[in-house]
Amino acid sequence: MTDKIIVLDFGSQYNQLIVRRIRELGVYSELVPHDIDLEILQQDAHLKGIILSGGPHSVYDADSFTVPKGLFDLNIPILGICYGLQLMAHRLGGYVEGGKHHEFGKTTIELTAKNPLTEGLGQTTSVWMSHGDQVKVLPAFFESTAQSTSTPHVMMKHMFKPLFGIQFHPEVTHTEHGMWMLENFVKLTKAHRNWTMDTFIDEQVQKIRNTVLDQQVILGLSGGVDSSVAAALLDKAIGKQLTCIFVDHGLLRKNEGREVSDYFTHNFDLNLVVVDAKGLFLEKLKGVENPEDKRKIIGKTFIEVFEAETKKLKNATFLAQGTLYTDLIESGTKHAKTIKSHHNVGGLPKEMNLKLIEPLNTLFKDEVRKLGQALGLPEALIQRQPFPGPGLAIRIIGDVTEEKLMIVADSDQILRDEFLAHGLNQSVWQYFTVLTPIKTVGVKGDNRSYEYVLAIRAVTSIDGMTADFAHIPYDVLSKVSSRITNEVKGVGRVVYDITSKPPGTIEWE
């Protein structure tokens, strides 16, 4: 097991970003509840440092989050960020109150005393603030090392213990030297910086083998990045003990079903079961226009088909899923609100009677892609765009028919071809076509036409939580529009969606 630095969760919107930053510095990190049992921390020989995240509460409120008694006596480096700074001061005898001037956004601070976190920096630096409360009186044996025009104690450190506090957010890119400060903290922990995909693979392969032993595992293979990487990792660990079930519901991108089947058949030692369920899904979706109804029908039907196939595999003991660390967090931690409710982290249907195994549930999306590279998966698969579970069904506004599926699949392929040809496939995070229910008059040849309006959606984003429409060159849009209206039967007009998220969403449904 590698060394680690944990982040105590106080409900900050940036909590998982802190975890990501520490991992980027080569040390394994994870988010844990703020009220974790102190004994667990004391007995963890691999724990080298602790970070207290920010949070929306005030430390002086009766119901505010706190830390286990004795945490600050562990004699390992502890860093309090924003609420974490205030909590450290509050618990150790300082005084925190609501500030007369709140600070939000970029702020210039002055470094007033030496601090290992800011070693090597100049006298001033720009940071990202987000606070209303502030430390008015420092605890005993603490000294202030930075200030802003409205906050006297922007940074503090203990004179004898490795305890540090900062009022701003070093984890966000808006803080000028944020990574420098976090790296200095990592150095103080003396943690071995050996968090790599190779060490992850070695540890997970051994863990999977110790868990599975000689039993059988089932994995639902969708062709997306997560399930494909999970399949490759499990294949490396247990080979023929893994059976992948690929339910082709006919709602995938053009040729994707065949590509997934061919790749895993020819390159892995696993057992692959391909279920052609296109007709069933189209029948179930017939006449359904409401997007939420479409999602529910597709989800329910998928489970029914998947369960029917698993019952044929009577020796299976485990069900593997490509659940990511963000899936767990966004489905609601103990102290953070649920952001999304559609992730596969709610357990298994009781009738399946299988144990759950999630080999990727400590990884972020970018780390999964790196893992895929380390496992030798092709770049085309690793860099595949995020794709919704209900597939092309939610890129058709209104009812789903075979004709409409063909329009979306064909137009999406043209869009992907042109983005690849013009070098936009890496810089644009997601791009796809949406078939609207609107028809407009046009002219094709010498004849009047009355055909569908098709929309192009292309966005840039880092994490999907916010997104901006991509500024695609007009000549590329012109080429895409020309090809679609000429090559895709049923489309007479192409429009470009220039809505950001928020207020819009990435998908239309």
Side-chain angles (χ1 to χ4, degrees), residues 225-413:
V225 178
D226 305 339
S227 67
S228 296
V229 173
L233 181 59
L234 285 158
D235 176 71
K236 183 176 180 68
I238 57 174
K240 283 291 187 183
Q241 290 173 253
L242 173 66
T243 297
C244 289
I245 299 175
F246 174 47
V247 178
D248 188 351
H249 48 35
L251 307 172
L252 298 170
R253 287 168 284 212
K254 188 171 184 179
N255 300 325
E256 199 163 62
R258 187 179 70 249
E259 289 170 1
V260 170
S261 175
D262 289 349
Y263 179 73
F264 280 93
T265 298
H266 297 139
N267 293 280
F268 292 88
D269 193 35
L270 48 76
N271 301 301
L272 178 63
V273 176
V274 179
V275 185
D276 186 351
K278 300 171 191 173
L280 175 63
F281 277 84
L282 273 174
E283 181 61 33
K284 296 273 189 179
L285 290 168
K286 191 173 182 179
V288 179
E289 296 186 2
N290 183 279
E292 192 60 27
D293 290 342
K294 285 194 277 188
R295 288 178 179 273
K296 288 177 179 177
I297 289 169
I298 292 166
K300 185 173 182 291
T301 305
F302 183 90
I303 290 173
E304 289 172 354
V305 174
F306 189 78
E307 285 183 348
E309 289 301 320
T310 61
K311 287 176 182 177
K312 299 175 185 178
L313 305 170
K314 297 180 180 178
N315 296 325
T317 306
F318 293 91
L319 175 69
Q321 293 185 156
T323 309
L324 304 191
Y325 195 46
T326 41
D327 296 340
L328 297 177
I329 294 172
E330 291 182 350
S331 294
T333 65
K334 184 176 180 181
H335 306 295
K337 293 180 179 179
T338 298
I339 298 171
K340 297 181 180 178
S341 59
H342 63 269
H343 295 299
N344 56 354
V345 295
L348 305 172
K350 292 180 181 178
E351 58 270 23
M352 289 189 70
N353 198 31
L354 295 172
K355 300 173 186 176
L356 189 61
I357 183 168
E358 298 172 305
L360 310 182
N361 68 0
T362 60
L363 300 183
F364 291 100
K365 190 74 172 190
D366 58 329
E367 293 173 325
V368 173
R369 295 189 195 278
K370 291 176 184 175
L371 174 59
Q373 289 175 327
L375 289 167
L377 293 176
E379 199 69 14
L381 193 156
I382 296 168
Q383 298 302 331
R384 183 166 280 167
Q385 297 179 60
F387 191 64
L392 298 182
I394 60 168
R395 293 178 180 173
I396 296 171
I397 311 303
D399 65 325
V400 180
T401 67
E402 194 163 3
E403 176 201 4
K404 291 178 180 178
L405 281 171
M406 190 174 297
I407 289 174
V408 179
D410 287 346
S411 60
D412 177 77
Q413 183 65 60

Side-chain angles (χ1 to χ4, degrees), residues 86-96 135-140:
Q86 296 163 13
L87 181 60
M88 184 183 292
H90 179 71
R91 284 296 300 269
L92 296 176
Y95 180 66
V96 178
V135 176
K136 285 294 185 182
V137 179
L138 293 174

Side-chain angles (χ1 to χ4, degrees), residues 112-130:
T112 56
K114 288 185 177 181
N115 186 321
L117 301 184
T118 54
E119 185 178 347
L121 299 183
Q123 190 172 354
T124 63
T125 187
S126 178
V127 302
W128 186 260
M129 293 284 201
S130 180

Side-chain angles (χ1 to χ4, degrees), residues 6 22 29 52 74 124 128 131 151 169 214 216 225 273 287 292 348 354 383 417 432-433 460:
I6 63 170
I22 299 302
S29 182
L52 314 183
L74 288 177
T124 63
W128 186 260
H131 71 100
T151 303
H169 290 276
D214 60 349
Q216 299 293 310
V225 178
V273 176
E292 192 60 27
L348 305 172
L354 295 172
Q383 298 302 331
D417 287 347
F432 52 87
T433 58
T460 56

Side-chain angles (χ1 to χ4, degrees), residues 35-230:
D35 55 358
I36 186 172
D37 194 310
L38 185 69
E39 191 174 340
I40 294 175
L41 303 181
Q42 290 171 325
Q43 295 176 354
D44 190 343
H46 300 286
L47 179 61
K48 301 300 181 182
I50 297 173
I51 297 176
L52 314 183
S53 84
H57 301 90
S58 292
V59 296
Y60 45 77
D61 290 341
D63 58 350
S64 63
F65 295 154
T66 188
V67 293
K69 186 178 180 181
L71 180 81
F72 298 116
D73 296 320
L74 288 177
N75 200 34
I76 61 174
I78 298 177
L79 171 63
I81 295 176
C82 200
Y83 179 88
L85 158 85
Q86 296 163 13
L87 181 60
M88 184 183 292
H90 179 71
R91 284 296 300 269
L92 296 176
Y95 180 66
V96 178
E97 69 175 17
K100 293 180 181 178
H101 302 285
H102 295 188
E103 283 184 308
F104 296 97
K106 272 198 172 184
T107 303
T108 298
I109 65 170
E110 180 186 0
L111 306 180
T112 56
K114 288 185 177 181
N115 186 321
L117 301 184
T118 54
E119 185 178 347
L121 299 183
Q123 190 172 354
T124 63
T125 187
S126 178
V127 302
W128 186 260
M129 293 284 201
S130 180
H131 71 100
D133 295 340
Q134 58 182 244
V135 176
K136 285 294 185 182
V137 179
L138 293 174
F141 304 111
F142 274 82
E143 64 175 324
S144 179
T145 69
Q147 64 183 17
S148 70
T149 53
S150 59
T151 303
H153 308 304
V154 170
M155 300 183 73
M156 69 178 190
K157 71 178 181 71
H158 197 282
M159 297 176 185
F160 312 113
K161 296 180 180 180
L163 303 178
F164 306 88
I166 54 181
Q167 185 58 73
F168 52 89
H169 290 276
E171 67 275 18
V172 302
T173 55
H174 306 294
T175 293
E176 188 177 10
H177 298 292
M179 284 298 283
W180 178 274
M181 298 179 206
L182 288 176
E183 182 162 19
N184 282 339
F185 177 73
V186 168
K187 289 177 182 176
L188 291 170
T189 69
K190 294 183 170 58
H192 290 104
R193 296 166 72 164
N194 55 3
W195 168 247
T196 67
M197 283 302 110
D198 288 337
T199 58
F200 178 84
I201 290 171
D202 292 341
E203 288 178 3
Q204 282 299 315
V205 164
Q206 195 57 51
K207 182 179 179 181
I208 291 166
R209 288 173 179 169
N210 292 341
T211 301
V212 173
L213 300 176
D214 60 349
Q215 299 170 90
Q216 299 293 310
V217 180
I218 297 171
L219 170 70
L221 183 64
S222 69
V225 178
D226 305 339
S227 67
S228 296
V229 173

